[in-house]
Amino acid sequence: MNGTVALDVQSVSKRYAAVQAVKDLSFTVRGGEIFGLLGPNGAGKTTTIRMSLDIIKPTSGEISVLGGPMTEGKKSRIGYLPEERGLYDDMTLLDTLLFLGQLKGLSSQTARKRAESYLREVKLWDARDRKIEALSQGMNQKAQFVAGTMHEPDLLIIDEPFSGLDPVNTRIIKDLLLRMRDEGTAIIMSTHQMHRVEGMCERILLIDHGQRVL
């Protein structure tokens, strides 16, 4: 997907009653790039992401995802890791990944193969039979990342990807994101921490009060 337009947002606005959450926002994200969506809390980042994923509808403007309107088929080509993440606490880590992988269209055999590969890469293979509720915060963060990316999406949207991670685990996730970029995935990294994106993003969009600042 290198160079192909993965997300095209044109003159999009969203109003909730008296609140203008997003105002006339435009940007394009291409395959093979990490695009930084920056802004303080409440700037409109999450609203923009939810409109892009067709979770909520814009008041005005047009959004094209992977070449056109969102469809059920395209959802299996997208990975989304919101800041408020959540897995099934009473399931084991491996069973959770197998379940979620098959929901994204993977065969049981492919899901098992990828789950093992990714868990070994993020140093969680030895924890595969632990219940989610028994994982530490850092382990849970890595598990969430695997759950959101093991179907190898064409478009990945990730909110505060390094929240709660120590330097070692931050490096593991960063390396995986860079590899996905090199393989052609379009990655949107939403954060309010400028230093997190300076070394990774080809381009950034800074928004405040729902509008483009730069």
Side-chain angles (χ1 to χ4, degrees):
M1 260 198 62
N2 272 317
T4 304
V5 174
L7 178 65
D8 187 28
V9 175
Q10 293 298 325
S11 302
V12 164
S13 297
K14 181 64 179 180
R15 175 177 285 277
Y16 298 101
V19 177
Q20 186 77 48
V22 176
K23 184 177 180 181
D24 196 29
L25 194 62
S26 298
F27 64 94
T28 299
V29 183
R30 296 182 178 276
E33 78 166 326
I34 301 178
F35 183 92
L37 183 61
L38 282 94
N41 291 328
K45 301 188 302 295
T46 299
T47 298
T48 301
I49 288 170
R50 288 175 176 167
M51 288 189 293
S52 299
L53 294 171
D54 202 34
I55 296 170
I56 58 176
K57 300 290 186 183
T59 305
S60 61
E62 298 290 334
I63 297 175
S64 174
V65 182
L66 300 173
M70 179 68 81
T71 63
E72 285 301 312
K74 286 180 181 178
K75 291 178 181 178
S76 64
R77 299 171 58 196
I78 297 170
Y80 177 41
L81 282 84
E83 185 175 10
E84 296 299 325
R85 320 206 219 290
L87 296 175
Y88 302 104
D89 282 348
D90 60 347
M91 290 178 68
T92 68
L93 173 56
L94 182 58
D95 284 346
T96 298
L97 295 179
L98 295 179
F99 172 67
L100 294 175
Q102 289 176 78
L103 279 183
K104 283 292 191 178
L106 300 180
S107 68
S108 59
Q109 183 178 10
T110 300
R112 183 170 294 276
K113 183 177 179 181
R114 288 193 189 170
E116 177 175 352
S117 175
Y118 276 88
L119 287 177
R120 289 188 184 280
E121 192 158 6
V122 301
K123 311 294 190 259
L124 284 180
W125 179 244
D126 291 342
R128 64 190 179 279
D129 294 323
R130 285 197 214 174
K131 288 190 174 182
I132 297 296
E133 62 187 1
L135 301 178
S136 69
Q137 181 183 3
M139 294 167 79
N140 202 301
Q141 284 284 91
K142 292 191 293 183
Q144 302 267 4
F145 184 87
V146 173
T149 59
M150 64 179 282
H151 62 294
E152 298 180 354
D154 293 322
L155 171 63
L156 174 66
I157 302 175
I158 184 166
D159 206 346
E160 301 294 352
F162 307 115
S163 176
L165 294 179
D166 61 29
V168 172
N169 285 322
T170 294
R171 167 56 63 180
I172 289 173
I173 298 303
K174 181 178 179 181
D175 287 347
L176 282 169
L177 286 169
L178 292 174
R179 187 180 76 193
M180 292 177 69
R181 176 203 67 188
D182 292 345
E183 291 173 350
T185 302
I187 300 171
I188 300 173
M189 202 159 71
S190 173
T191 181
H192 63 275
Q193 299 174 306
M194 175 69 94
H195 71 282
R196 292 295 189 192
V197 300
E198 283 183 320
M200 294 181 67
C201 297
E202 286 80 5
R203 297 182 298 133
I204 65 167
L205 171 65
L206 178 60
I207 64 174
D208 191 21
H209 295 98
Q211 299 182 71
R212 182 174 69 181
V213 178
L214 61 85

